[in-house]
Amino acid sequence: MPLSPDEPALPPLVRPTVQDAIRRDIIAGVLTPGARVTEASLAQRYDVSRVPVREALRGLESEGFIDSRPHVGSRVAAIPVHDADDLFAVREALEVSTARSAARRAAALYSGDESPEDWWRLRRQIAGLLDAGDAHVAAGDLDPLVGINDQIHIAIAELSGSATLTRLLRQLSWKIEWLYAADMQSRGKRLWPDHRVIVGAIDAGDGERAAALMAAHVRESRIGYLSRYGITRPSSDPEVAAAVRQQQGGAPDGARPGADTVGA
Amino acid sequence: MPLSPDEPALPPLVRPTVQDAIRRDIIAGVLTPGARVTEASLAQRYDVSRVPVREALRGLESEGFIDSRPHVGSRVAAIPVHDADDLFAVREALEVSTARSAARRAAALYSGDESPEDWWRLRRQIAGLLDAGDAHVAAGDLDPLVGINDQIHIAIAELSGSATLTRLLRQLSWKIEWLYAADMQSRGKRLWPDHRVIVGAIDAGDGERAAALMAAHVRESRIGYLSRYGITRPSSDPEVAAAVRQQQGGAPDGARPGADTVGA
DNA sequence: AGAAGGACGATTGCATACAATCACTCTGGT
DNA sequence: ACCAGAGTGATTGTATGCAATCGTCCTTCT
């Protein structure tokens, strides 16, 4: 397991903006879909002026968390639950690409073709996340696993070196996290051990294996969500749809095929 | 061909913002990658205050067109040419999903399950775009085809009813348009007739056929780009890579395997 | 001569103030 | 009773002004 250059791995630079704060509150359910959010109220809430709030709203609008009409106002957007299957399908393609590219980059790295700065920092960060997740699994508290899970996937995307893919994946992750809403802390238990295997394939520089593993991993996550939240329409992927039916037959407790859009 | 409810199809609401103007100039190459863009200069350039410029820059930053560092300034981002293949791969998944969902929605529409307002407006818009494209092809001026092409794909995505997918596709389209940069007006000639066939499958409510047609369509576009701009690494998709090699062997004129990132 | 330290200029970040626009309500008429 | 229209309040859109921060150049000490 190659992890040689060791230095104080400090985060590159991060500014906790108002946009991040609002987004977090939306995903956490503090700001419910359909709720009217005026610039003044948000400004008071986060103790800043209206200007940074406006900038945050524009950003969140282009991310799909806010619906805004000129001269009228802004509302928290509806949770895209009926897009869920499509979202997972796209996420599958995205993550498969990032995993493959990351592994290829690792191979190029070991052969000495390139040696970027960020690589080791990210690789070290992933190692830390894996260990932290293992500790939580061992301790039995699955709550933090959701966040750690997302961070690992994002870090793998960054490892691929594609800023565009990373950005798209980050947006998708936020949406999926929003879908999962609150109660979903148990999903990671089954899927957690996959991560270490995927990272292993990346380290080995085996692009196709990394891609295949990531595909299976994301797919299982997709099946888990759909079987739990019983979406109105069956999955577009026949295999996924079949797996969902099977899994729902075994545990039809949490399925709620009625609601299509969460509003307020 | 169902196209019954006819009304004045006015666009819902669009505000030509500073953000759109700047993005257009970046894609068009007026603002070159690496160029420093200060808020003051942009404010003067577009004849507004710094406040709208700031909002635009934040939005463009989250779209990946601007790299911004706090208290330092902003630069036009680098064109992600080495991501090209991955971008197309994700676009493939995205557009296949939208085409399938659009067709399913059409089927549900005809069976009377739902009847949304926007559907006919979008469907009419697509019809107009198809006719306009045909006219341009007949007249021989292929310049506007690029824009019309993008509009059709976006409209199909909107037809799918998924705002999230539409937004992601729009971001991807901008990036790919940026990749194509200036010289690429001839690409649409071969691919143009596909659109009418895809729309036909959607109208017929045949989701799988629409998905398959869209997959082939986007894939050919991907092969066309890669064979022309000869990216450093071969495509991750073996079939695509083989097709690129074959096409490059026939016309190795425009290939330039050197440059990996366009900067200034 | 080279390097460390400080001051200046430029630019961003933010707050306040004002103008433009829209939704709502109340009034008047048919 | 219902509809049309003007007025009003609330909210967004924009401009200006000031404070905070960073990069750079010059000075100064070793």
Side-chain angles (χ1 to χ4, degrees):
Chain A
M1 185 182 297
L3 251 173
S4 36
D6 40 7
E7 302 148 30
L10 81 167
L13 173 57
V14 67
R15 46 174 171 178
T17 70
V18 179
Q19 182 167 343
D20 295 325
I22 298 178
R23 188 193 306 111
R24 198 176 50 237
D25 282 344
I26 291 178
I27 292 177
V30 181
L31 266 42
T32 59
R36 184 114 189 276
V37 280
T38 66
E39 298 177 357
S41 65
L42 291 175
Q44 184 179 358
R45 181 182 168 87
Y46 298 98
D47 194 41
V48 287
S49 168
R50 271 182 49 216
V51 176
V53 169
R54 281 183 60 81
E55 295 178 9
L57 284 178
R58 288 293 160 276
L60 292 170
E61 187 183 3
S62 81
E63 288 172 6
F65 287 102
I66 292 289
D67 284 339
S68 190
R69 283 173 52 192
H71 294 281
V72 176
S74 304
R75 291 178 172 280
V76 178
I79 298 178
V81 287
H82 62 272
D83 302 350
D85 184 53
D86 288 334
L87 261 48
F88 276 103
V90 174
R91 183 189 164 196
E92 204 170 307
L94 247 171
E95 299 232 43
V96 168
S97 281
T98 60
R100 183 185 285 115
S101 288
R104 287 191 174 193
R105 200 134 165 266
L109 191 83
Y110 298 147
S111 67
D113 285 1
E114 57 175 330
S115 169
E117 297 296 313
D118 304 327
W119 207 90
W120 291 110
R121 180 183 54 79
L122 288 166
R123 188 58 190 78
R124 181 177 321 281
Q125 180 189 336
I126 292 174
L129 289 168
L130 286 172
D131 291 342
D134 281 344
H136 283 119
V137 168
D141 59 337
L142 304 171
D143 248 26
L145 226 58
V146 180
I148 293 176
N149 179 72
D150 285 348
Q151 288 181 56
I152 286 181
H153 283 256
I154 294 291
I156 289 177
E158 289 182 330
L159 224 48
S160 81
S162 171
T164 305
L165 293 186
T166 303
R167 191 178 321 105
L168 290 175
L169 177 60
R170 188 171 274 128
Q171 289 189 22
L172 258 180
S173 292
W174 285 329
K175 284 291 163 56
I176 291 175
E177 195 179 342
W178 200 17
L179 286 172
Y180 276 107
D183 79 332
M184 204 44 151
Q185 74 276 20
S186 62
R187 64 161 166 160
K189 182 73 178 295
R190 161 68 188 84
L191 269 52
W192 172 252
D194 292 355
H195 294 127
R196 205 171 279 276
V197 183
I198 294 172
V199 172
I202 291 175
D203 277 341
D206 189 341
E208 290 317 308
R209 182 143 179 276
L213 289 170
M214 182 64 92
H217 175 69
V218 176
R219 168 155 303 204
E220 188 161 357
S221 165
R222 178 182 179 185
I223 293 169
Y225 176 85
L226 292 178
S227 65
R228 214 170 301 249
Y229 287 88
I231 300 305
T232 49
R233 291 184 291 189
S235 170
S236 59
D237 191 311
E239 295 181 27
V240 173
V244 168
R245 277 194 304 271
Q246 181 186 347
Q247 200 152 322
Q248 273 183 333
D253 46 84
R256 39 161 210 189
D260 198 51
T261 301
V262 177
Chain B
M1 184 183 295
L3 249 173
S4 38
D6 39 8
E7 302 148 29
L10 80 168
L13 175 57
V14 67
R15 47 175 171 179
T17 69
V18 180
Q19 182 167 342
D20 296 324
I22 298 178
R23 189 193 305 110
R24 201 177 47 238
D25 283 344
I26 291 178
I27 293 176
V30 181
L31 266 41
T32 59
R36 184 111 188 278
V37 282
T38 65
E39 298 177 358
S41 65
L42 290 176
Q44 184 178 358
R45 179 185 169 87
Y46 298 98
D47 195 40
V48 287
S49 170
R50 271 181 48 215
V51 176
V53 169
R54 281 183 60 81
E55 295 179 9
L57 283 178
R58 287 294 161 276
L60 292 170
E61 187 183 4
S62 80
E63 288 172 5
F65 287 102
I66 292 288
D67 285 338
S68 190
R69 284 173 52 192
H71 294 282
V72 175
S74 304
R75 293 179 172 278
V76 178
I79 299 178
V81 289
H82 62 273
D83 302 349
D85 184 53
D86 287 334
L87 262 50
F88 275 104
V90 174
R91 183 188 163 197
E92 205 169 304
L94 247 171
E95 300 232 43
V96 167
S97 282
T98 60
R100 181 185 288 114
S101 288
R104 287 190 175 193
R105 199 135 166 264
L109 191 82
Y110 299 146
S111 67
D113 284 0
E114 59 175 328
S115 167
E117 298 296 312
D118 303 327
W119 208 91
W120 291 110
R121 181 183 55 77
L122 287 166
R123 187 57 189 80
R124 183 176 320 281
Q125 180 189 336
I126 291 174
L129 289 168
L130 286 172
D131 292 341
D134 283 344
H136 283 120
V137 168
D141 60 335
L142 304 172
D143 248 26
L145 226 58
V146 180
I148 293 177
N149 180 72
D150 285 347
Q151 288 181 55
I152 288 181
H153 283 258
I154 295 291
I156 290 177
E158 290 182 331
L159 223 49
S160 80
S162 170
T164 305
L165 292 187
T166 304
R167 189 178 323 103
L168 290 173
L169 176 59
R170 188 171 274 128
Q171 290 190 22
L172 258 181
S173 292
W174 285 329
K175 284 291 164 53
I176 291 175
E177 196 179 340
W178 200 17
L179 286 172
Y180 275 108
D183 78 332
M184 205 41 150
Q185 76 276 19
S186 64
R187 66 162 165 159
K189 183 73 178 295
R190 161 70 188 84
L191 269 53
W192 172 252
D194 292 354
H195 295 128
R196 205 171 279 277
V197 184
I198 294 172
V199 173
I202 291 174
D203 277 341
D206 189 341
E208 289 318 309
R209 182 146 177 273
L213 288 170
M214 182 63 93
H217 175 70
V218 175
R219 170 156 301 203
E220 187 161 357
S221 165
R222 178 183 181 185
I223 292 169
Y225 175 85
L226 292 177
S227 65
R228 215 171 300 250
Y229 287 88
I231 299 307
T232 48
R233 290 184 293 188
S235 170
S236 59
D237 191 312
E239 296 183 26
V240 173
V244 169
R245 277 194 303 273
Q246 181 184 348
Q247 202 152 319
Q248 274 184 332
D253 45 84
R256 40 162 208 185
D260 196 52
T261 301
V262 178

